[in-house]
């Protein structure tokens, strides 16, 4: 009886967590997440560049401001998402032994992450296209490291 | 599981007792709840562990000890791992479940000052 009570108390005792931790126990990685985000960044950048008020009246200006703000918010969110997905691949999937096959791996990821930041703070189609190209290069590195086909198919 | 450590591990496992409960309640002993699977088969999710805090007079760490350490890259996150190797006062910490563990193989050797304690009791859920 006492033993059962103590066991119950120990099981419910409030305690701070200590992590027997694993960042990626599933081992599932795919550059597709970064690709979709980078495509969205390019798409939103193009839409922002093409966006213009329908007229000079207050309603048109308000509608323009509203749409512009929404496009910027999505562009920034997707840029951040692309960066996060790339950093996961860089730090969790790729291992030191991959450097022998891809000596420019660090440089490629570093530049791609920088492009994410540039796309987030600017409306720059060239940078957005460079980001998508960088993601394509990472896509090729990733799938060739697995010995798999690296067909590049975009959603847009 | 590191070969040869099973006997040492057995001595860490305890049944809940009144004395330990008392020391936990008054704060004499530190306790933590395990989250994650990287220390299976030794520690399971939900297990309660107690540990002895390290201090200048009590730095008695050996290969095979299970320790609590601050994550080297994530502020205030506590890890529980086993000392796999010691290189010049730096510690190679590994999970017993190597297939599902983020440890020194990824974040490198751990400095002594990141290790805050050595596990002395395990209470399985």
């Amino acid at each position: 009886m006492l033993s059962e009570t103590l066991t119950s108390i120990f099981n419910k005792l409030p305690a701070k967590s200590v992590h027997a931790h694993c960042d990626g126990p599933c081992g599932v990685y795919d550059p597709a997440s970064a690709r979709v985000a980078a495509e969205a960044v390019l798409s939103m950048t193009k839409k922002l560049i093409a966006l213009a008020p329908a007229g000079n009246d207050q309603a048109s200006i308000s509608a323009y401001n509203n749409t512009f703000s929404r496009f910027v918010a999505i562009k920034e969110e997707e840029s951040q998402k692309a960066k996060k997905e790339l950093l996961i691949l860089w730090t969790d999937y790729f291992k030191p032994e991959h450097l022998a096959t891809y000596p420019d791996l660090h440089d490629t990821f570093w530049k791609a992450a920088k492009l994410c930041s540039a796309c987030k703070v600017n409306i720059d189609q060239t940078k957005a296209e460079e980001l998508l190209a960088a993601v394509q290069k990472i896509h090729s590195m990733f799938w060739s490291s697995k010995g798999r086909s690296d067909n590049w198919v975009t959603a847009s | 599981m590191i070969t040869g450590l099973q006997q040492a591990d057995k001595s860490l496992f305890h049944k809940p007792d009144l004395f330990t409960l008392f020391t936990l309640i008054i704060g004499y002993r530190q306790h933590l709840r395990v989250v994650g699977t990287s220390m299976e088969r030794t520690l399971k999710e939900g297990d309660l562990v107690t540990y002895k805090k390290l201090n200048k007079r009590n730095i008695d760490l050996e290969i095979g000890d299970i320790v609590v350490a601050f994550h080297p890259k994530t502020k205030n996150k506590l890890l529980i791992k086993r000392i796999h190797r010691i290189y010049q006062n730096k510690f190679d910490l590994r999970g017993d479940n190597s297939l599902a563990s983020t440890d020194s193989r990824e974040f490198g050797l751990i400095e002594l000052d990141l290790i805050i304690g050595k596990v002395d009791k395990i209470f399985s859920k």
Side-chain angles (χ1 to χ4, degrees):
Chain A
M1 177 67 181
L2 178 64
S3 170
E4 285 174 13
T5 306
L6 281 170
T7 302
S8 175
I9 292 171
F10 270 62
N11 286 341
K12 291 172 185 167
L13 201 64
K16 193 174 173 184
S17 296
V18 63
H19 295 260
H21 183 61
C22 179
D23 285 334
C26 57
V28 177
Y29 299 99
D30 194 328
S33 312
R35 191 255 304 154
V36 171
E39 279 193 72
V41 170
L42 178 58
S43 171
M44 296 320 295
T45 302
K46 285 178 179 172
K47 288 186 178 198
L48 280 162
I49 291 169
L51 192 65
N56 289 326
D57 57 294
Q58 188 55 47
S60 299
I61 297 293
S62 295
Y64 168 80
N65 285 338
N66 180 57
T67 307
F68 188 90
S69 303
R70 290 183 63 236
F71 285 5
V72 167
I74 295 167
K75 176 180 69 70
E76 295 201 3
E77 190 181 314
E78 294 296 328
S79 299
Q80 192 61 36
K81 201 185 289 179
K83 191 176 191 176
K84 182 187 165 202
E85 295 295 337
L86 290 173
L87 293 183
I88 289 170
L89 289 174
W90 189 8
T91 56
D92 293 353
Y93 170 73
F94 283 102
K95 301 281 186 287
E97 50 265 35
H98 288 122
L99 280 170
T101 317
Y102 314 107
D104 60 342
L105 185 140
H106 288 327
D107 194 49
T108 303
F109 272 100
W110 183 67
K111 284 177 178 165
K114 288 278 183 193
L115 283 167
C116 291
S117 302
C119 290
K120 184 178 175 182
V121 300
N122 300 301
I123 301 174
D124 187 330
Q125 188 172 335
T126 306
K127 295 283 184 201
E129 286 168 348
E130 285 176 11
L131 171 60
L132 194 57
V135 171
Q136 184 173 5
K137 185 176 178 184
I138 288 163
H139 161 98
S140 299
M141 282 177 173
F142 176 87
W143 288 114
S144 73
S145 76
K146 286 176 158 286
R148 305 250 301 264
S149 161
D150 65 343
N151 286 335
W152 172 253
V153 180
T154 56
S156 52
Chain B
M1 182 75 77
I2 300 171
T3 309
L5 293 176
Q6 289 84 345
Q7 192 61 41
D9 279 344
K10 277 182 187 173
S11 69
L12 295 178
F13 285 91
H14 293 263
K15 286 195 162 45
D17 61 277
L18 276 172
F19 176 73
T20 304
L21 181 61
F22 178 69
T23 59
L24 291 177
I25 290 170
I26 65 170
Y28 176 75
R29 199 178 277 277
Q30 312 297 318
H31 65 291
L32 297 164
R33 183 83 61 194
V34 176
V35 176
T37 59
S38 79
M39 284 298 288
E40 288 184 355
R41 296 171 283 183
T42 308
L43 295 170
K44 299 185 299 299
E45 173 112 11
D47 285 354
L48 192 80
V49 298
T50 63
Y51 65 97
K52 286 181 183 167
K53 273 193 170 178
L54 294 190
N55 56 51
K56 286 181 182 174
R57 287 179 298 176
N58 174 28
I59 302 175
D60 179 26
L61 296 174
E62 295 176 353
I63 292 172
D65 286 343
I66 298 174
V67 293
V68 177
F70 281 111
H71 194 292
K73 294 177 181 169
T74 307
K75 200 177 174 185
N76 293 330
K77 185 170 191 174
L78 291 175
L79 297 176
I80 188 163
K81 300 286 175 188
R82 194 185 293 280
I83 298 175
H84 182 68
R85 292 275 189 276
I86 303 173
Y87 301 99
Q88 298 174 336
N89 275 338
K90 292 185 179 179
F91 295 82
D92 179 346
L93 302 184
R94 305 279 180 96
D96 285 357
N97 181 7
S98 62
L99 290 176
S101 177
T102 300
D103 48 35
S104 285
R105 292 171 298 169
E106 296 207 20
F107 51 64
L109 300 177
I110 293 283
E111 299 280 353
L112 177 61
D113 57 9
L114 286 178
I115 299 179
I116 62 168
K118 177 171 149 179
V119 171
D120 63 344
K121 288 186 178 181
I122 300 169
F123 300 92
S124 289
K125 195 172 182 184

